[in-house]
Amino acid sequence: MANNKYAVGPVNYDKYITCPYDSAHRILPIRISKHLIKCSGNPKLIRCPFNVTHVFSAAAMKDHVIECPDRSSLERYKMPDSLPPAEPRANKFEVETEEDWDVEPPAKTYNPKKYCEEAMVIVNPQGIPPAARREFRERERKRFLENNKF
């Protein structure tokens, strides 16, 4: 048996969040929303209307709703003109060019059925009865013999 040794770094507990329902639970920020669904056992705690990962008591929720950092996204959605944009708007500019991507290319269209009839391609007919398959194979044999390919 091979002796595999794996090096494991120390756990960085600074990145973890404490569960609002049970202080013994330590969760990564990425997994907090899923954990809160599983662990929602205390009916006295209320979830923030702006972010479901914010859970507080009823008294603390009144203050939190006023100061919630995620509230600005709702305010910006309700009144997009009265608030400054979240990100600076990109400069609108046009590049002048002679290329037109809407024009069809000068190439011919490809018809696979026509190509298979003209070239020496062996086709396996699907979904036809055995008698029609025999006739198809016989026609293909004659076509190949006429073109001296086999």
Side-chain angles (χ1 to χ4, degrees), residues 5-59:
K5 294 183 180 180
Y6 298 101
V8 178
V11 178
N12 188 357
Y13 287 107
D14 296 337
K15 293 182 181 178
Y16 286 76
I17 298 173
T18 305
C19 173
Y21 295 114
D22 188 355
S23 61
H25 295 170
R26 305 278 290 164
I27 308 107
L28 285 171
I30 291 175
R31 298 182 180 183
I32 187 71
S33 60
K34 188 173 182 180
H35 176 79
L36 290 176
I37 292 169
K38 291 180 181 179
C39 192
S40 59
N42 189 347
K44 295 178 183 177
L45 298 179
I46 302 170
R47 291 188 183 203
C48 173
F50 308 115
N51 188 340
V52 294
T53 62
H54 299 167
V55 181
F56 296 98
S57 65

Side-chain angles (χ1 to χ4, degrees), residues 130-141:
R133 255 185 297 193
R134 280 191 295 273
E135 290 174 14
F136 177 79
R137 279 193 234 115
E138 190 59 37
R139 280 195 314 266
E140 289 295 299
R141 276 193 206 102

Side-chain angles (χ1 to χ4, degrees), residues 33-148:
S33 60
K34 188 173 182 180
H35 176 79
L36 290 176
I37 292 169
K38 291 180 181 179
C39 192
S40 59
N42 189 347
K44 295 178 183 177
L45 298 179
I46 302 170
R47 291 188 183 203
C48 173
F50 308 115
N51 188 340
V52 294
T53 62
H54 299 167
V55 181
F56 296 98
S57 65
M61 184 57 74
K62 291 178 184 177
D63 296 331
H64 172 76
V65 168
I66 296 168
E67 299 169 356
C68 181
D70 295 323
R71 181 184 179 134
S72 64
S73 60
L74 177 70
E75 296 293 333
R76 186 166 282 109
Y77 175 75
K78 283 180 159 181
M79 301 174 288
D81 297 334
S82 63
L83 294 174
E87 298 175 2
R89 292 189 178 132
N91 293 333
K92 293 182 181 180
F93 64 92
E94 293 182 15
V95 177
E96 293 184 21
T97 181
E98 294 179 9
E99 246 183 327
D100 187 6
W101 288 23
D102 294 330
V103 176
E104 291 293 324
K108 295 179 185 176
T109 58
Y110 174 70
N111 185 350
K113 189 173 183 179
K114 183 178 177 184
Y115 175 78
C116 289
E117 290 172 358
E118 293 174 358
M120 294 297 117
V121 177
I122 298 174
V123 180
N124 185 10
Q126 299 290 322
I128 58 175
R133 255 185 297 193
R134 280 191 295 273
E135 290 174 14
F136 177 79
R137 279 193 234 115
E138 190 59 37
R139 280 195 314 266
E140 289 295 299
R141 276 193 206 102
K142 287 180 185 176
R143 184 170 69 94
F144 287 141
L145 289 174
E146 288 173 2
N147 293 324
N148 295 325

